[in-house]
Amino acid sequence: MDMITCRTRVSGQAPLYSYRVLVPLDELAPHRRHRVVILHVPTPAGRLPCTRLADVLAPSRWFERYLAVHCGLAARLNLVSRRVEAIILQAIFPEMTARLVPPMLLLDHEPGEIRHRISGIDLNAAFDTLAPRIETLIAADLGLCRNNHRRAA
C-alpha cells in the first residue's frame, strides 16, 4: 500500500512542524471510499485526494458510528492509528522520536517541508490485527525499514 508522509512547517517564529501519514484514496478499499474524510495533498502533478490513516485502519464496524462510541472503539482506534503513524514517521524522519505523533513538534533546526511517497503492507481494516500487537509493533511489521525507498509525493 502506498502512503504519503508529510512534514509541514507551522507558521510562526519557532520552527514548529506538523507530521502526517495520509493514504491516497485509490489505495483504500473501494467500499470504504465514500465513508472517509477526504484531504487534498498538494503534489507536483496537482492535488491528490487522500484520507487519514485512522480511516484506513478502522474495522468495518467503525462505520456503524452508533456502535463505535459505545464500544469504546473511538479511543482505541485513535491510539492504534497514532502509534502506527508514529512508527511510519520514525522510519522516514529521524527527528520524530515521539511514541505517539504530537499535534506539532518543536525542532531546534529548520529541516524544511517535504512529502514522501512510501510503500508498506496493506493496512485496509487492519485494526483488529494490529491492536493486540501495538506495544511490540515495529516498522518491519508494517513493511517498512529505515531508509525505506522514498519517492517524491
Side-chain angles (χ1 to χ4, degrees):
M1 158 174 277
D2 279 358
M3 296 170 270
I4 296 176
T5 59
C6 306
R7 178 177 60 212
T8 308
R9 176 82 155 77
V10 177
S11 63
Q13 293 286 6
L16 284 172
Y17 285 86
S18 171
Y19 291 79
R20 300 287 308 262
V21 174
L22 299 171
V23 178
L25 278 186
D26 58 356
E27 296 288 326
L28 193 61
H31 65 280
R32 292 172 162 245
R33 291 181 188 162
H34 70 283
R35 297 177 153 195
V36 300
V37 173
I38 298 174
L39 306 167
H40 293 276
V41 176
T43 67
R47 295 172 60 82
L48 180 67
C50 295
T51 193
R52 303 171 300 187
L53 191 59
D55 286 337
V56 177
L57 291 173
S60 296
R61 66 186 181 278
W62 169 251
F63 296 105
E64 299 168 9
R65 299 287 184 184
Y66 63 94
L67 289 177
V69 174
H70 299 296
C71 296
L73 183 56
R76 292 223 359 114
L77 178 58
N78 181 51
L79 177 65
V80 170
S81 66
R82 287 184 61 216
R83 179 67 189 126
V84 169
E85 189 172 30
I87 292 168
I88 293 168
L89 290 169
Q90 288 166 356
I92 304 303
F93 302 110
E95 70 272 14
M96 177 55 69
T97 58
R99 182 157 173 72
L100 299 174
V101 179
M104 291 179 282
L105 184 63
L106 178 62
L107 300 177
D108 58 0
H109 62 291
E110 293 271 359
E113 294 189 358
I114 194 163
R115 289 174 190 79
H116 293 292
R117 192 173 192 121
I118 62 167
S119 296
I121 64 169
D122 184 358
L123 295 173
N124 278 294
F127 174 82
D128 291 327
T129 305
L130 298 177
R133 304 179 323 150
I134 198 64
E135 293 302 320
T136 59
L137 203 63
I138 60 173
D141 297 331
L142 301 174
L144 305 169
C145 59
R146 282 243 184 251
N147 302 321
N148 188 318
H149 294 292
R150 298 176 271 196
R151 304 180 303 277

mmCIF file of all heavy atoms in Angstrom, residues 104-127:
data_model
loop_
_atom_site.group_PDB
_atom_site.id
_atom_site.type_symbol
_atom_site.label_atom_id
_atom_site.label_comp_id
_atom_site.label_asym_id
_atom_site.label_seq_id
_atom_site.Cartn_x
_atom_site.Cartn_y
_atom_site.Cartn_z
ATOM 1 N N MET A 104 2.049 19.116 17.061
ATOM 2 C CA MET A 104 3.148 19.898 16.493
ATOM 3 C C MET A 104 4.423 19.487 17.208
ATOM 4 O O MET A 104 4.398 19.150 18.388
ATOM 5 C CB MET A 104 2.917 21.393 16.673
ATOM 6 C CG MET A 104 1.781 21.953 15.843
ATOM 7 S SD MET A 104 1.558 23.703 16.116
ATOM 8 C CE MET A 104 0.692 23.691 17.678
ATOM 9 N N LEU A 105 5.535 19.564 16.485
ATOM 10 C CA LEU A 105 6.829 19.216 17.060
ATOM 11 C C LEU A 105 7.760 20.408 16.916
ATOM 12 O O LEU A 105 7.938 20.939 15.817
ATOM 13 C CB LEU A 105 7.405 17.998 16.326
ATOM 14 C CG LEU A 105 8.714 17.433 16.865
ATOM 15 C CD1 LEU A 105 8.543 16.913 18.280
ATOM 16 C CD2 LEU A 105 9.188 16.305 15.956
ATOM 17 N N LEU A 106 8.331 20.851 18.032
ATOM 18 C CA LEU A 106 9.281 21.958 18.029
ATOM 19 C C LEU A 106 10.669 21.379 17.774
ATOM 20 O O LEU A 106 11.126 20.512 18.508
ATOM 21 C CB LEU A 106 9.256 22.700 19.364
ATOM 22 C CG LEU A 106 10.244 23.850 19.526
ATOM 23 C CD1 LEU A 106 9.966 24.954 18.513
ATOM 24 C CD2 LEU A 106 10.188 24.391 20.945
ATOM 25 N N LEU A 107 11.326 21.861 16.726
ATOM 26 C CA LEU A 107 12.661 21.382 16.383
ATOM 27 C C LEU A 107 13.689 22.458 16.663
ATOM 28 O O LEU A 107 13.370 23.643 16.731
ATOM 29 C CB LEU A 107 12.705 20.991 14.901
ATOM 30 C CG LEU A 107 11.739 19.882 14.473
ATOM 31 C CD1 LEU A 107 11.841 19.652 12.976
ATOM 32 C CD2 LEU A 107 12.003 18.598 15.237
ATOM 33 N N ASP A 108 14.930 22.052 16.809
ATOM 34 C CA ASP A 108 15.994 23.022 17.051
ATOM 35 C C ASP A 108 16.670 23.451 15.749
ATOM 36 O O ASP A 108 17.671 24.143 15.768
ATOM 37 C CB ASP A 108 17.020 22.466 18.034
ATOM 38 C CG ASP A 108 17.645 21.167 17.549
ATOM 39 O OD1 ASP A 108 17.281 20.692 16.452
ATOM 40 O OD2 ASP A 108 18.502 20.622 18.267
ATOM 41 N N HIS A 109 16.136 23.018 14.635
ATOM 42 C CA HIS A 109 16.663 23.388 13.321
ATOM 43 C C HIS A 109 15.504 23.488 12.332
ATOM 44 O O HIS A 109 14.371 23.187 12.682
ATOM 45 C CB HIS A 109 17.694 22.353 12.854
ATOM 46 C CG HIS A 109 17.125 20.979 12.682
ATOM 47 N ND1 HIS A 109 16.704 20.193 13.726
ATOM 48 C CD2 HIS A 109 16.887 20.255 11.563
ATOM 49 C CE1 HIS A 109 16.237 19.045 13.275
ATOM 50 N NE2 HIS A 109 16.329 19.060 11.960
ATOM 51 N N GLU A 110 15.776 23.938 11.132
ATOM 52 C CA GLU A 110 14.749 24.116 10.099
ATOM 53 C C GLU A 110 14.965 23.099 8.972
ATOM 54 O O GLU A 110 15.634 23.406 7.989
ATOM 55 C CB GLU A 110 14.825 25.537 9.525
ATOM 56 C CG GLU A 110 14.458 26.622 10.503
ATOM 57 C CD GLU A 110 12.972 26.934 10.510
ATOM 58 O OE1 GLU A 110 12.210 26.323 9.746
ATOM 59 O OE2 GLU A 110 12.585 27.794 11.304
ATOM 60 N N PRO A 111 14.424 21.887 9.089
ATOM 61 C CA PRO A 111 14.651 20.892 8.042
ATOM 62 C C PRO A 111 13.851 21.152 6.757
ATOM 63 O O PRO A 111 14.157 20.586 5.717
ATOM 64 C CB PRO A 111 14.218 19.587 8.698
ATOM 65 C CG PRO A 111 13.205 20.006 9.708
ATOM 66 C CD PRO A 111 13.644 21.356 10.187
ATOM 67 N N GLY A 112 12.830 21.993 6.832
ATOM 68 C CA GLY A 112 12.027 22.308 5.656
ATOM 69 C C GLY A 112 10.864 21.348 5.470
ATOM 70 O O GLY A 112 10.803 20.284 6.070
ATOM 71 N N GLU A 113 9.947 21.758 4.613
ATOM 72 C CA GLU A 113 8.776 20.925 4.317
ATOM 73 C C GLU A 113 9.146 19.873 3.282
ATOM 74 O O GLU A 113 9.947 20.136 2.386
ATOM 75 C CB GLU A 113 7.637 21.796 3.780
ATOM 76 C CG GLU A 113 7.114 22.763 4.806
ATOM 77 C CD GLU A 113 5.854 23.470 4.342
ATOM 78 O OE1 GLU A 113 5.392 23.238 3.206
ATOM 79 O OE2 GLU A 113 5.332 24.270 5.126
ATOM 80 N N ILE A 114 8.527 18.707 3.412
ATOM 81 C CA ILE A 114 8.795 17.642 2.444
ATOM 82 C C ILE A 114 7.668 16.614 2.493
ATOM 83 O O ILE A 114 7.017 16.443 3.520
ATOM 84 C CB ILE A 114 10.163 16.982 2.703
ATOM 85 C CG1 ILE A 114 10.575 16.137 1.526
ATOM 86 C CG2 ILE A 114 10.152 16.196 3.992
ATOM 87 C CD1 ILE A 114 12.037 15.789 1.497
ATOM 88 N N ARG A 115 7.455 15.978 1.377
ATOM 89 C CA ARG A 115 6.486 14.882 1.272
ATOM 90 C C ARG A 115 7.184 13.714 0.595
ATOM 91 O O ARG A 115 7.904 13.899 -0.378
ATOM 92 C CB ARG A 115 5.285 15.304 0.444
ATOM 93 C CG ARG A 115 4.407 16.288 1.131
ATOM 94 C CD ARG A 115 3.303 16.789 0.208
ATOM 95 N NE ARG A 115 2.609 17.898 0.809
ATOM 96 C CZ ARG A 115 3.061 19.149 0.827
ATOM 97 N NH1 ARG A 115 4.182 19.450 0.254
ATOM 98 N NH2 ARG A 115 2.367 20.099 1.410
ATOM 99 N N HIS A 116 6.956 12.521 1.130
ATOM 100 C CA HIS A 116 7.493 11.306 0.526
ATOM 101 C C HIS A 116 6.347 10.339 0.273
ATOM 102 O O HIS A 116 5.419 10.243 1.073
ATOM 103 C CB HIS A 116 8.485 10.596 1.463
ATOM 104 C CG HIS A 116 9.744 11.341 1.706
ATOM 105 N ND1 HIS A 116 10.686 11.544 0.743
ATOM 106 C CD2 HIS A 116 10.217 11.926 2.828
ATOM 107 C CE1 HIS A 116 11.694 12.221 1.259
ATOM 108 N NE2 HIS A 116 11.422 12.482 2.520
ATOM 109 N N ARG A 117 6.451 9.624 -0.809
ATOM 110 C CA ARG A 117 5.520 8.536 -1.084
ATOM 111 C C ARG A 117 6.274 7.253 -0.764
ATOM 112 O O ARG A 117 7.360 7.023 -1.288
ATOM 113 C CB ARG A 117 5.073 8.567 -2.538
ATOM 114 C CG ARG A 117 3.903 7.659 -2.799
ATOM 115 C CD ARG A 117 3.395 7.854 -4.234
ATOM 116 N NE ARG A 117 2.124 7.209 -4.373
ATOM 117 C CZ ARG A 117 1.010 7.799 -4.717
ATOM 118 N NH1 ARG A 117 1.023 9.090 -4.998
ATOM 119 N NH2 ARG A 117 -0.107 7.139 -4.815
ATOM 120 N N ILE A 118 5.711 6.437 0.129
ATOM 121 C CA ILE A 118 6.369 5.215 0.552
ATOM 122 C C ILE A 118 5.423 4.031 0.375
ATOM 123 O O ILE A 118 4.225 4.214 0.185
ATOM 124 C CB ILE A 118 6.826 5.298 2.021
ATOM 125 C CG1 ILE A 118 5.626 5.487 2.951
ATOM 126 C CG2 ILE A 118 7.843 6.415 2.202
ATOM 127 C CD1 ILE A 118 5.925 5.283 4.404
ATOM 128 N N SER A 119 5.957 2.839 0.459
ATOM 129 C CA SER A 119 5.152 1.622 0.349
ATOM 130 C C SER A 119 5.272 0.797 1.610
ATOM 131 O O SER A 119 6.324 0.763 2.243
ATOM 132 C CB SER A 119 5.616 0.780 -0.843
ATOM 133 O OG SER A 119 5.394 1.472 -2.039
ATOM 134 N N GLY A 120 4.199 0.138 1.969
ATOM 135 C CA GLY A 120 4.170 -0.754 3.123
ATOM 136 C C GLY A 120 3.111 -1.819 2.905
ATOM 137 O O GLY A 120 2.586 -1.965 1.795
ATOM 138 N N ILE A 121 2.770 -2.524 3.957
ATOM 139 C CA ILE A 121 1.753 -3.568 3.846
ATOM 140 C C ILE A 121 0.370 -2.934 3.661
ATOM 141 O O ILE A 121 0.181 -1.748 3.935
ATOM 142 C CB ILE A 121 1.752 -4.494 5.078
ATOM 143 C CG1 ILE A 121 1.372 -3.711 6.346
ATOM 144 C CG2 ILE A 121 3.093 -5.199 5.243
ATOM 145 C CD1 ILE A 121 1.076 -4.580 7.554
ATOM 146 N N ASP A 122 -0.578 -3.733 3.246
ATOM 147 C CA ASP A 122 -1.956 -3.265 3.092
ATOM 148 C C ASP A 122 -2.546 -3.067 4.490
ATOM 149 O O ASP A 122 -2.626 -4.017 5.272
ATOM 150 C CB ASP A 122 -2.770 -4.283 2.299
ATOM 151 C CG ASP A 122 -4.181 -3.811 2.010
ATOM 152 O OD1 ASP A 122 -4.568 -2.711 2.446
ATOM 153 O OD2 ASP A 122 -4.910 -4.562 1.330
ATOM 154 N N LEU A 123 -2.955 -1.855 4.801
ATOM 155 C CA LEU A 123 -3.496 -1.534 6.117
ATOM 156 C C LEU A 123 -5.017 -1.405 6.128
ATOM 157 O O LEU A 123 -5.595 -1.043 7.149
ATOM 158 C CB LEU A 123 -2.858 -0.236 6.635
ATOM 159 C CG LEU A 123 -1.357 -0.318 6.909
ATOM 160 C CD1 LEU A 123 -0.803 1.068 7.247
ATOM 161 C CD2 LEU A 123 -1.059 -1.304 8.016
ATOM 162 N N ASN A 124 -5.680 -1.720 5.026
ATOM 163 C CA ASN A 124 -7.137 -1.655 4.976
ATOM 164 C C ASN A 124 -7.736 -2.574 6.038
ATOM 165 O O ASN A 124 -7.465 -3.776 6.050
ATOM 166 C CB ASN A 124 -7.655 -2.067 3.592
ATOM 167 C CG ASN A 124 -7.585 -0.938 2.603
ATOM 168 O OD1 ASN A 124 -8.282 0.060 2.754
ATOM 169 N ND2 ASN A 124 -6.734 -1.082 1.597
ATOM 170 N N ALA A 125 -8.517 -1.990 6.953
ATOM 171 C CA ALA A 125 -9.210 -2.716 8.025
ATOM 172 C C ALA A 125 -8.250 -3.547 8.880
ATOM 173 O O ALA A 125 -8.605 -4.608 9.376
ATOM 174 C CB ALA A 125 -10.321 -3.592 7.449
ATOM 175 N N ALA A 126 -7.038 -3.066 9.098
ATOM 176 C CA ALA A 126 -6.020 -3.820 9.842
ATOM 177 C C ALA A 126 -6.077 -3.613 11.353
ATOM 178 O O ALA A 126 -5.260 -4.165 12.086
ATOM 179 C CB ALA A 126 -4.633 -3.451 9.323
ATOM 180 N N PHE A 127 -7.038 -2.860 11.839
ATOM 181 C CA PHE A 127 -7.119 -2.555 13.268
ATOM 182 C C PHE A 127 -7.116 -3.814 14.129
ATOM 183 O O PHE A 127 -6.337 -3.916 15.086
ATOM 184 C CB PHE A 127 -8.371 -1.725 13.564
ATOM 185 C CG PHE A 127 -8.592 -1.490 15.033
ATOM 186 C CD1 PHE A 127 -7.913 -0.479 15.692
ATOM 187 C CD2 PHE A 127 -9.464 -2.280 15.762
ATOM 188 C CE1 PHE A 127 -8.096 -0.259 17.046
ATOM 189 C CE2 PHE A 127 -9.658 -2.065 17.110
ATOM 190 C CZ PHE A 127 -8.978 -1.060 17.753
#
